[in-house]
């Protein structure tokens, strides 16, 4: 999800800075709402679990895409599926992202521990290869959407009009802030702000345990994706792990504070247009091997607790300072 969300501000800049462009985004149908505010952008849904599954499915997809007569193809993912499509298209007008894999290996090994090019700039580079102008330094974000009625009804019982979204989960435990400490953060911030708890349906039962007063509202599992994005567009701040929710909020122009465990912003995956000090990092004196991997899926024993080295008060003070 994060990879798709990263694309949105890049496409917005591309369209604003270049005339007469029409873009077709090949992605899962679920992500269509990401692009609803972009003119001249259509989504072509790919069904990787159905008709487009496997090699024969990709060949079927190629035949469908070929009929579209695209002028050029931008591959900003550069994975096995897109490389198979490149083979079918014979590489004709096919431009691919440079993921900087060797640079990232050196980052993890500490051979060259420096800030790498951001994913947003790597995406933009693909379009620059095509000859387009694209500058990401002055982004324009979509307007706030109307808050869904179900959320508006919940907000009637709160005592603050400041909205803080909190998404405490991530794909890997090593990227998550300890839930007992997150309870402290949520409870403290809810004294003067309204907290909206985001997550998947499988997270609902735990998130319920965070609801200790009327200013803490459970959003997870109650909204469709379009409604969830509309709700995020009204936040004053999003507090998230290094996860998809950070990129959702950032693509909508929200302030995003991120908590990092075994991963690190130097790899280039920090949310778009956020100050460096909005990223709260694990203590590298206690956890000197951070980052242990790019995606947080590999780490030594004990490093699953790296994010715990960030004090709850540090998070609370950072959130309060920006809202």
């Amino acid at each position: 999800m994060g990879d798709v969300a990263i694309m949105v501000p890049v496409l917005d800049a591309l369209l604003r800075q270049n005339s007469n462009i029409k873009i077709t985004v090949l992605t899962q149908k679920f992500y269509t709402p990401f692009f609803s505010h972009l003119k001249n952008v259509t989504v072509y849904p790919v069904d990787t679990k159905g008709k487009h599954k496997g090699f024969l499915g990709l060949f079927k997809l190629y035949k469908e895409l070929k009929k579209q007569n695209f002028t050029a193809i931008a591959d900003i993912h550069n994975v096995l599926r897109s490389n198979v499509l490149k083979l079918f298209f014979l590489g004709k007008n096919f431009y691919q992202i440079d993921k900087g894999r060797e640079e990232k290996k050196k980052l993890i090994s500490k051979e060259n521990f420096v800030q790498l090019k951001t994913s947003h700039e790597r995406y933009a580079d693909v379009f620059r290869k095509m000859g387009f102008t694209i500058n990401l330094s002055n982004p324009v974000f979509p307007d706030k959407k109307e808050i869904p009625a179900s959320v508006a009804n919940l907000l009637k019982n709160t005592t603050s009009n400041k909205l803080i979204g909190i998404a405490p989960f991530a794909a890997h435990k090593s990227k998550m802030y300890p839930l007992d400490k997150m309870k402290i953060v949520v409870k403290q911030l809810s004294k003067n702000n309204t907290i909206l708890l985001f997550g998947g349906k499988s997270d609902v039962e735990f998130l319920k345990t965070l609801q200790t007063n009327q200013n803490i509202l459970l959003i997870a599992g109650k909204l469709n994706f379009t409604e969830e994005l509309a709700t995020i567009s009204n936040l004053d701040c999003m507090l998230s792990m290094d996860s998809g929710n950070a990129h959702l909020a950032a693509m909508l122009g929200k302030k995003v504070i991120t908590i990092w465990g075994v991963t690190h912003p130097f790899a280039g995956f920090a949310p778009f247009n956020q100050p460096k000090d909005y990223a709260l990092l694990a203590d590298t004196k206690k956890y000197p091997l951070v980052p242990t991997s790019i995606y947080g899926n590999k780490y030594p024993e004990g490093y699953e607790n790296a994010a715990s080295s960030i004090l709850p008060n540090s998070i609370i003070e950072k959130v309060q300072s920006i809202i």
Side-chain angles (χ1 to χ4, degrees), residues 3-15:
D3 287 342
V4 184
I6 287 170
M7 189 193 321
V8 176
V10 178
L11 293 186
D12 185 77
L14 177 67
L15 290 164

Side-chain angles (χ1 to χ4, degrees), residues 56-312:
L56 292 178
L58 287 175
F59 185 68
K60 183 182 294 185
L61 176 60
Y62 157 70
K63 290 194 292 185
E64 294 172 14
L65 296 175
K66 188 177 179 181
K67 296 176 183 177
Q68 301 290 323
N69 295 316
F70 297 123
T71 305
I73 299 173
D75 175 13
I76 56 177
H77 206 28
N78 196 349
V79 292
L80 179 59
R81 288 193 184 101
S82 61
N83 279 303
V84 171
L85 286 175
K86 179 182 179 181
L87 176 65
F88 291 149
F89 278 103
L90 301 176
K92 184 178 180 181
N93 294 330
F94 204 102
Y95 300 83
Q96 284 186 301
I97 188 173
D98 175 5
K99 287 191 167 183
R101 291 186 173 97
E102 289 303 314
E103 299 170 53
K104 290 171 181 174
K105 287 180 182 178
K106 291 179 180 179
L107 178 76
I108 293 170
S109 69
K110 307 302 183 295
E111 182 180 341
N112 192 27
F113 189 60
V114 297
Q115 176 66 60
L116 301 183
K117 182 178 291 188
T118 68
S119 293
H120 298 89
E121 286 293 345
R122 291 188 187 277
Y123 284 20
D125 280 346
V126 180
F127 298 106
R128 292 176 182 127
K129 290 177 186 177
M130 293 178 169
F132 294 111
T133 297
I134 181 166
N135 187 320
L136 304 180
S137 60
N138 295 295
V140 178
F141 297 104
D143 295 332
K144 290 182 181 179
K145 299 292 185 180
E146 183 177 354
I147 292 183
S150 57
V151 179
N153 286 333
L154 292 174
L155 291 173
K156 291 178 181 178
N157 298 319
T158 62
T159 60
S160 171
N161 60 2
K162 287 288 186 180
L163 299 181
I164 300 173
I166 297 183
F169 292 93
H172 305 288
K173 182 181 178 181
S174 60
K175 296 169 66 173
M176 287 174 51
Y177 195 57
L179 298 178
D180 57 335
K181 292 187 176 182
M182 182 57 76
K183 288 182 179 180
I184 297 172
V185 172
V186 171
K187 186 174 182 179
Q188 184 64 32
L189 288 175
S190 70
K191 291 181 179 180
N192 299 303
N193 307 281
T194 297
I195 309 298
L196 305 184
L197 301 174
F198 291 86
K201 290 182 179 180
S202 61
D203 305 325
V204 169
E205 289 307 310
F206 169 76
L207 292 174
K208 285 180 180 178
T209 68
L210 297 180
Q211 290 186 280
T212 56
N213 63 61
Q214 64 186 21
N215 283 345
I216 305 171
L217 307 178
L218 180 63
I219 299 301
K222 294 187 177 182
L223 306 174
N224 63 39
F225 200 33
T226 298
E227 292 171 331
E228 187 169 319
L229 290 175
T231 302
I232 292 174
S233 77
N234 284 273
L235 296 179
D236 293 289
C237 171
M238 171 67 87
L239 173 63
S240 172
M241 308 302 103
D242 168 24
S243 67
N245 281 288
H247 296 294
L248 294 184
M251 79 178 191
L252 296 173
K254 302 292 104 179
K255 296 177 180 178
V256 184
I257 294 173
T258 42
I259 296 173
W260 299 73
V262 299
T263 54
H264 197 283
F266 275 8
F269 291 105
F272 182 65
N273 198 47
Q274 305 298 318
K276 290 181 180 180
D277 65 334
Y278 283 18
L280 305 180
L281 311 180
D283 186 343
T284 53
K285 290 183 179 179
K286 292 182 180 179
Y287 299 95
L289 299 181
V290 170
T292 63
S293 63
I294 297 300
Y295 303 108
N297 56 331
K298 299 177 183 178
Y299 50 89
E301 185 177 352
Y303 271 66
E304 65 273 15
N305 300 315
S308 67
S309 61
I310 304 169
L311 298 176

